Amino acid sequence: LAIGLVVDDAIIVVENIYRHMEKGLSALEASLLGARELAKPIIAITIVLIAVYVPIAFLEGLTGALFMEFAFTLAGAVFVSAIIALTLSPLMCSRLLRSHQSSILVSFIDRQFLKIQLKYALLLKNSFHYLPVTLVFAGIVVVSNYSLYMTSQRELAPQEDQGFVRLYLKGAPNANLSQIKRYAHQIDGIMATIPEKDHILELVGIDGLNTAYWGFIPVDWKERKKTSTEIQNNLQKLLSKITGGEISVYQPPSLPGFGGYPVQFIIQTTNSFEDLDGVSQKFLEKAKETGIFAFLETDLRIDKEKISLEIDREKSAVLGLTMEGIGNVLASAYSNSYINYFSFKGFSYQVIPQVMREGRLNPKELETIYLKTATQDIVPLSTVVSLKSSVVPRSLTHFQQLNAATISGAPMPGVTIGKAIETLKQISKEVLPSGYSIDYAGPSRQYEQEGTSLVVTFFFALVIIYLSLTFLFESFRDPLIVLISVPLSVCGAMIFINLGVGGTSLNIYTEVGLVTLIGLISKHGILIVQFANDLQREGYEKAEAILSASEIRLRPILMTTCAMVLGVVPLLLAQGAGAESRFQIGLVIASGISIGTIFTLFVVPAMYMVLGVDFSKIKKNLFLEK
């Protein structure tokens, strides 16, 4: 991208010098005249591009950290490019550039380009007879940006193939380690059948005894045909056949930051947890009906069995039993603590008076424990202790000092996090009663925080460009003519984003590409308007000036457009790590500048005819005043 920006200014200067040489000027005369004509446009272009890139570097959060080097690199490249284009390029042209010697290839290219130039001049001239049609078309294109933006898929960043897929198993609240191991054995068998498997990481009981975690590591990209997303989709289908546990399959986020599930939607309230549970369960049921989530759960679940030991203190006192004595007996039987060591064959071992495993599987086994009374009689624990069963929440969480329930999960492969969150927002409007609010955590919070930062930067860049061009053109109208090309090029890129070509979506990379388009496409309008104004000063009529300026600048505009498009071709053809993000920013720039250039060649001249200053009228008014 930086290479494309560096050569653009040089292309414009060399082409202009060569155009003067074709008219019969010497290389030195053409170099001086060509550079002098383009000094002001190139300075304007440089200021515009720097005004676009620098604000990106000063964004807060992840966007600023991620694109700081990108912004300063491009701003520096543009600055150096302008200096070279106005100094070294004319110097080299005066020494090295010669009128071309006719050849079959050169003659063929010249003939083809002359046909394009004549055809363009004819179409542009004819379009001036239908200026309202051109302006209405431009208005429709500009307005369509809103619809394209609102209906496009959104996410923080495209899901990249990182060569790692996560699996998480959560069993029933009363599931023990043995049950989880049985589920894990079934999952291991299914994962072993995946041909892309290289390594499997397995951790059982890391987040409570009823959970397990896997890391599925496929073979290298070059050795497999399926992407991590396809592997994830396949695993989810196969593992859904296992009953008894909730199994989620998802990939780690592409960008550094928050961890956990991609979707973390928080419902919060000042009401009781019992009320919150009813609302969250209804919300969860509604969300699952959409069918866009591979896995979805809430961390507020009032479904865990709790066994309480109630001691009959009066009966214990009659039997001479103390609370301390009863507690010591229970601790010895179930706490896994040791009371002494014994030596065996030179080794020391702990003496653990714990009940055998078979006696700890059922709460009723507590009744088999016996106590000594004050009279040294043996009585069963059930004489003074009774069991009471109740249902309690697995956990009670708070967020922003409010009672909260987090809806966590992962969208189906191919469904962006933006669509998932927008769906949950819509459900919240339908389901949540008064007194409830929503918030976000994890990657979802990161998406919400970063989602609007570049939109603000986009409009801020437009304001800076307008003010800069107003100063350079000494006009409030000429910058508007130049900037009309911006929404036209954005529309060209948004069409591909809206269609989801190659999995493209509105994300942090495509939005940076859209901001970059502001500077790239503005240079076309600057060149046309500046040359048209110069021709008017030389005595041309307004319509004749804009027609001649558009025809003269057609060749450098097409050359710089081709150079930029070819410059991002490596991004479009990228493979391996990070290919998804590079493809998306390359697609936005290539499509935006290509389609935007076509629109610019017709809409900018039309806008000039409507808004451009008519120098002949100014001269006439000045003459009349004198």
Side-chain angles (χ1 to χ4, degrees):
L1 186 57
I3 294 174
L5 289 171
V6 168
V7 301
D8 270 6
D9 291 340
I11 289 173
I12 295 170
V13 171
V14 173
E15 188 279 335
N16 197 45
I17 293 172
Y18 188 77
R19 181 173 64 87
H20 286 300
M21 291 179 63
E22 287 182 323
K23 294 180 179 180
L25 295 181
S26 66
L28 180 59
E29 293 172 333
S31 299
L32 291 173
L33 179 59
R36 188 182 303 117
E37 287 179 338
L38 290 173
K40 188 174 180 180
I42 288 180
I43 292 174
I45 290 170
T46 304
I47 292 175
V48 165
L49 290 172
I50 292 177
V52 169
Y53 298 133
V54 171
I56 298 176
F58 291 100
L59 289 173
E60 296 181 353
L62 180 63
T63 305
L66 191 64
F67 289 103
M68 180 182 295
E69 294 85 354
F70 170 86
F72 283 127
T73 299
L74 294 187
V78 168
F79 180 74
V80 174
S81 171
I83 296 175
I84 293 175
L86 294 176
T87 55
L88 185 60
S89 294
L91 176 62
M92 295 180 66
C93 286
S94 66
R95 299 291 183 180
L96 303 177
L97 194 60
R98 298 289 182 271
S99 297
H100 67 267
Q101 300 296 324
S102 180
S103 65
I104 297 177
L105 179 61
V106 172
S107 298
F108 173 77
I109 294 174
D110 284 346
R111 286 197 305 271
Q112 298 304 315
F113 182 79
L114 183 59
K115 290 180 182 178
I116 295 174
Q117 192 173 25
L118 293 175
K119 184 68 173 178
Y120 167 68
L122 179 61
L123 291 174
L124 181 59
K125 186 175 181 179
N126 290 335
S127 70
F128 283 179
H129 299 295
Y130 305 97
L131 277 180
V133 176
T134 304
L135 296 176
V136 169
F137 171 77
I140 293 173
V141 172
V142 172
V143 173
S144 67
N145 280 321
Y146 177 78
S147 176
L148 292 172
Y149 180 81
M150 296 303 297
T151 58
S152 296
Q153 296 280 358
R154 302 183 189 183
E155 57 187 338
L156 180 62
Q159 183 60 61
E160 297 181 357
D161 190 341
Q162 302 178 66
F164 191 76
V165 179
R166 294 174 176 173
L167 287 82
Y168 186 72
L169 165 68
K170 180 175 286 188
N174 59 345
N176 55 38
L177 199 58
S178 296
Q179 292 174 308
I180 297 301
K181 285 183 178 179
R182 286 199 292 270
Y183 296 142
H185 182 70
Q186 298 179 54
I187 294 173
D188 292 339
I190 290 175
M191 286 197 292
T193 63
I194 304 298
E196 293 81 13
K197 172 182 68 66
D198 188 16
H199 293 87
I200 296 177
L201 169 69
E202 180 177 347
L203 298 170
V204 179
I206 59 171
D207 186 22
L209 297 180
N210 65 331
T211 63
Y213 170 88
W214 287 264
F216 183 92
I217 305 174
V219 296
D220 190 74
W221 292 286
K222 299 177 182 179
E223 302 177 21
R224 55 183 164 95
K225 296 181 179 179
K226 291 185 177 181
T227 64
S228 293
T229 301
E230 292 172 330
I231 295 172
Q232 172 195 351
N233 194 17
N234 187 28
L235 277 172
Q236 188 72 62
K237 290 180 180 178
L238 295 173
L239 296 175
S240 62
K241 300 176 182 179
I242 299 177
T243 58
E246 296 177 343
I247 304 172
S248 58
V249 184
Y250 59 101
Q251 297 180 63
S254 303
L255 298 177
F258 299 103
Y261 290 117
V263 176
Q264 296 184 38
F265 192 86
I266 299 173
I267 303 173
Q268 52 190 16
T269 182
T270 55
N271 295 352
S272 66
F273 279 103
E274 287 72 18
D275 294 340
L276 178 59
D277 177 60
V279 172
S280 63
Q281 291 299 330
K282 184 178 179 181
F283 182 95
L284 188 66
E285 181 180 352
K286 192 82 172 177
K288 288 182 177 179
E289 291 176 357
T290 62
I292 67 172
F293 295 97
F295 170 76
L296 207 61
E297 66 170 8
T298 175
D299 64 349
L300 178 59
R301 295 188 177 186
I302 307 179
D303 60 355
K304 185 175 182 179
E305 184 183 14
K306 177 183 178 181
I307 305 296
S308 302
L309 277 71
E310 295 188 350
I311 301 175
D312 190 333
R313 293 176 179 270
E314 294 183 359
K315 188 178 290 187
S316 299
V318 171
L319 295 175
L321 298 173
T322 64
M323 298 300 104
E324 180 182 4
I326 296 174
N328 290 337
V329 170
L330 291 173
S332 299
Y334 294 103
S335 69
N336 197 30
S337 60
Y338 67 95
I339 59 174
N340 206 343
Y341 285 92
F342 72 94
S343 178
F344 182 73
K345 293 184 178 181
F347 293 93
S348 182
Y349 297 91
Q350 293 178 344
V351 178
I352 302 175
Q354 187 182 38
V355 175
M356 297 296 291
R357 176 173 174 76
E358 293 76 9
R360 292 183 277 116
L361 296 177
N362 194 320
K364 290 293 184 180
E365 297 293 340
L366 284 168
E367 299 177 355
T368 63
I369 297 177
Y370 290 84
L371 304 171
K372 270 189 178 183
T373 65
T375 59
Q376 301 300 311
D377 294 328
I378 303 296
V379 296
L381 182 65
S382 58
T383 305
V384 294
V385 174
S386 61
L387 301 180
K388 183 180 180 181
S389 178
S390 61
V391 179
V392 297
R394 300 189 190 185
S395 62
L396 296 176
T397 59
H398 295 80
F399 192 85
Q400 306 288 13
Q401 299 182 350
L402 296 174
N403 297 340
T406 302
I407 308 296
S408 304
M412 294 288 288
V415 178
T416 64
I417 186 174
K419 181 178 180 180
I421 291 177
E422 289 300 322
T423 301
L424 295 180
K425 283 182 181 179
Q426 186 61 38
I427 295 174
S428 69
K429 295 177 182 179
E430 302 172 1
V431 174
L432 299 187
S434 177
Y436 287 78
S437 59
I438 61 173
D439 211 322
Y440 312 92
S444 299
R445 190 174 189 83
Q446 198 172 42
Y447 166 79
E448 287 292 319
Q449 290 175 342
E450 303 291 338
T452 58
S453 59
L454 281 172
V455 177
V456 175
T457 303
F458 183 88
F459 289 103
F460 179 72
L462 285 177
V463 173
I464 296 296
I465 291 172
Y466 178 78
L467 295 176
S468 302
L469 293 179
T470 299
F471 172 75
L472 292 168
F473 281 111
E474 298 179 353
S475 169
F476 288 103
R477 291 191 285 179
D478 286 348
L480 293 177
I481 301 171
V482 172
L483 291 179
I484 189 62
S485 60
V486 173
L488 302 178
S489 65
V490 169
C491 179
M494 286 301 303
I495 291 173
F496 288 83
I497 294 175
N498 189 266
L499 294 175
V501 176
T504 309
S505 62
L506 265 177
N507 55 64
I508 195 172
Y509 295 105
T510 52
E511 288 177 356
V512 167
L514 292 175
V515 174
T516 305
L517 274 178
I518 300 176
L520 296 179
I521 200 66
S522 295
K523 63 174 61 178
H524 298 341
I526 292 172
L527 290 172
I528 293 175
V529 172
Q530 181 64 47
F531 264 70
N533 288 343
D534 291 343
L535 290 174
Q536 282 203 71
R537 293 187 182 97
E538 294 176 8
Y540 283 68
E541 294 294 330
K542 183 179 178 179
E544 186 182 4
I546 189 61
L547 282 170
S548 299
S550 300
E551 187 177 355
I552 291 171
R553 303 321 300 161
L554 176 65
R555 183 164 62 179
I557 286 175
L558 295 180
M559 290 172 67
T560 54
T561 299
C562 291
M564 184 53 64
V565 172
L566 293 175
V568 298
V569 166
L571 300 180
L572 298 174
L573 302 179
Q575 295 182 347
E580 292 83 356
S581 58
R582 296 199 295 273
F583 171 81
Q584 298 206 14
I585 193 171
L587 179 65
V588 166
I589 292 175
S591 59
I593 198 169
S594 300
I595 298 176
T597 297
I598 297 173
F599 288 157
T600 298
L601 291 174
F602 290 94
V603 176
V604 168
M607 289 294 294
Y608 189 88
M609 290 297 297
V610 175
L611 296 178
V613 177
D614 191 338
F615 285 75
S616 62
K617 291 183 179 180
I618 295 176
K619 293 178 181 179
K620 184 177 180 180
N621 292 334
L622 290 174
F623 177 77
L624 292 175
E625 289 177 3
K626 291 181 180 180

